[in-house]
Amino acid sequence: MFGLIGHLTSLEHAQAVAEDLGYPEYANQGLDFWCSAPPQVVDNFQVKSVTGQVIEGKYVESCFLPEMLTQRRIKAAIRKILNAMALAQKVGLDITALGGFSSIVFEEFNLKQNNQVRNVELDFQRFTTGNTHTAYVICRQVEAGAKQLGLDLSQATVAVCGATGDIGSAVCRWLDSKHQVKELLLIARNRQRLENLQEELGRGKIMDLETALPQADVIVWVASMPKGVEIAGEMLKKPCLIVDGGYPKNLDTRVKADGVHILKGGIVEHSLDITWEIMKIVEMDIPSRQMFACFAEAILLEFEGWRTNFSWGRNQISVNKMEAIGEASVKHGFCPLVAL
Ligand code: NDP
């Protein structure tokens, strides 16, 4: 059985959907209350592959909220993720995706040192960040979006915001090796990590956001920002393709300008309906078929019987692994969202 560990996008969102999640008593509660709320299994479902195979899954709501990071409630954030992992293991999930900020909190605060959660010894082989499939999906979205706009990637300038991250660095590797994009602009805050990436790729220009964005034909947004940023559409090239792979999504309602085209990054659509309620709550446009690519990775690992932490650690995602998970994704009927 596979699992998904998810969380809501903000306190406001959590309060609005508490009733739908099955705990109406949380609806009027502030951050303090959510900091002490335990994880819960809120959905059980089946997923059918286009091959005919059917698997069973569960959704674990961790009760983590991004405000726990912005308001420095770090101990609460850590507790949320570890408790949700322990619950996933206790209810017998063989492979579980750490969605949204779950894997970022796990890595940032080095939680692999905390494998004992009360009476549960966490077995990390049973978890995956889902980042290999997410990076693959984002790259396919860049390719499809560029094609729709008539952009030739080998002649394009691509800015990757969050380039040194797990997903960002994988996207850079793919775009470099598969398309030899003309310019790769690398954006993040930590200079040393940027230089390490530049050395690994043997290319790429390190730039700040304000300098990079006006030069870019394509912007890939994969920074881990708990709050959104505002970009002035006038300063962007026209046409410009933006693939917003961050969670929470920051950009699609904020950048408005003719010629600027935004794709919701890292989202896939399945070819068949899925019997779950949870994607309505996380506000997918077609809740019975759409989901985050990281969640889909756990589904793919279960379909393929690859019960292992396929995506783990940081900055180790190879193009070969992206191709392997991509093949499984197509085989079982998943498709990246590509309509502009
Ligand atoms: P990482 O923590 O590995 O990387 C984050 C990157 O963002 C780093 O390069 C970091 O570098 C950079 N960054 C953070 N803050 C800023 C800032 N203020 N300005 C510029 N750069 C910044 O994260 P992941 O690669 O795991 O995830 C990236 C995003 O993708 C997240 O938003 C995550 O929620 C989302 N995601 C989406 C999934 C999906 O299924 N759609 C699945 C998994 C993740 P530095 O700290 O040096 O600035």
Side-chain angles (χ1 to χ4, degrees):
M1 196 181 318
F2 72 94
L4 314 168
I5 292 179
H7 63 80
L8 300 163
T9 54
S10 65
L11 177 60
E12 198 186 347
H13 182 209
Q15 289 167 332
V17 302
E19 188 157 354
D20 298 335
L21 277 176
Y23 25 91
E25 66 280 14
Y26 290 19
N28 299 318
Q29 302 290 344
L31 192 61
D32 277 347
F33 186 88
W34 287 84
C35 282
S36 55
Q40 310 208 28
V41 173
V42 294
D43 212 351
N44 296 280
F45 37 78
Q46 287 190 333
V47 183
K48 186 172 183 181
S49 161
V50 292
T51 64
Q53 192 182 348
V54 179
I55 54 174
E56 308 262 342
K58 289 183 192 292
Y59 189 94
V60 178
E61 168 57 53
S62 67
C63 291
F64 165 85
L65 292 172
E67 282 89 344
M68 292 172 195
L69 296 181
T70 52
Q71 298 186 22
R72 306 298 299 159
R73 308 289 293 270
I74 304 303
K75 277 193 184 153
I78 290 173
R79 218 170 41 239
K80 298 281 129 188
I81 304 313
L82 289 174
N83 286 345
M85 292 171 78
L87 177 61
Q89 203 168 303
K90 249 166 134 171
V91 296
L93 303 180
D94 300 295
I95 184 75
T96 299
L98 299 177
F101 272 94
S102 317
S103 66
I104 293 169
V105 169
F106 187 90
E107 285 299 329
E108 188 69 25
F109 302 108
N110 205 11
L111 301 192
K112 52 184 160 308
Q113 292 181 332
N114 302 43
N115 67 339
Q116 192 70 40
V117 183
R118 291 180 303 279
N119 61 344
V120 179
E121 189 180 343
L122 291 177
D123 172 7
F124 296 136
Q125 291 283 332
R126 292 172 176 240
F127 297 92
T128 185
T129 65
N131 286 348
T132 310
H133 190 233
T134 304
Y136 162 81
V137 166
I138 289 172
C139 290
R140 299 315 300 247
Q141 291 178 299
V142 168
E143 291 163 357
K147 196 166 172 202
Q148 288 176 67
L149 296 180
L151 293 169
D152 173 0
L153 283 175
S154 69
Q155 296 305 312
T157 297
V158 182
V160 181
C161 182
T164 53
D166 199 34
I167 299 172
S169 58
V171 168
C172 289
R173 283 177 207 116
W174 180 285
L175 293 177
D176 175 49
S177 76
K178 295 238 172 222
H179 300 285
Q180 296 86 40
V181 291
K182 191 164 163 220
E183 293 282 9
L184 205 44
L185 311 182
L186 311 176
I187 306 158
R189 294 165 303 178
N190 183 300
R191 180 86 201 178
Q192 186 58 52
R193 284 204 288 259
L194 282 162
E195 284 174 5
N196 293 348
L197 177 67
Q198 191 181 42
E199 194 180 317
E200 179 207 317
L201 295 169
R203 61 172 302 190
K205 288 186 182 161
I206 296 171
M207 262 185 210
D208 60 48
L209 198 59
E210 291 70 27
T211 317
L213 296 188
Q215 302 182 26
D217 301 294
V218 178
I219 300 168
V220 179
W221 205 279
V222 278
S224 50
M225 292 170 164
K227 274 175 78 179
V229 289
E230 296 207 16
I231 296 178
E234 312 83 66
M235 63 124 128
L236 301 178
K237 266 183 156 177
K238 315 288 172 346
C240 177
L241 170 69
I242 304 181
V243 178
D244 179 11
Y247 181 81
K249 297 270 164 264
N250 310 135
L251 301 173
D252 48 353
T253 53
R254 290 175 197 246
V255 192
K256 290 224 180 331
D258 285 344
V260 177
H261 304 268
I262 304 184
L263 275 177
K264 284 188 182 174
I267 310 268
V268 283
E269 189 165 312
H270 192 42
S271 312
L272 302 168
D273 284 346
I274 301 172
T275 58
W276 56 20
E277 291 300 314
I278 192 68
M279 292 299 146
K280 280 187 207 141
I281 293 170
V282 299
E283 296 172 344
M284 289 290 156
D285 293 336
I286 306 178
S288 59
R289 294 191 173 200
Q290 291 177 358
M291 71 196 81
F292 298 106
C294 58
F295 289 168
E297 180 169 308
I299 295 173
L300 293 168
L301 297 180
E302 179 76 0
F303 274 141
E304 290 294 310
W306 298 342
R307 286 180 171 165
T308 168
N309 49 357
F310 190 80
S311 307
W312 206 241
R314 274 295 179 259
N315 296 24
Q316 291 171 26
I317 298 175
S318 65
V319 169
N320 284 348
K321 277 187 104 170
M322 289 166 76
E323 283 172 338
I325 200 79
E327 266 175 41
S329 187
V330 173
K331 170 179 163 190
H332 293 287
F334 290 94
C335 185
L337 283 198
V338 292
L340 285 172

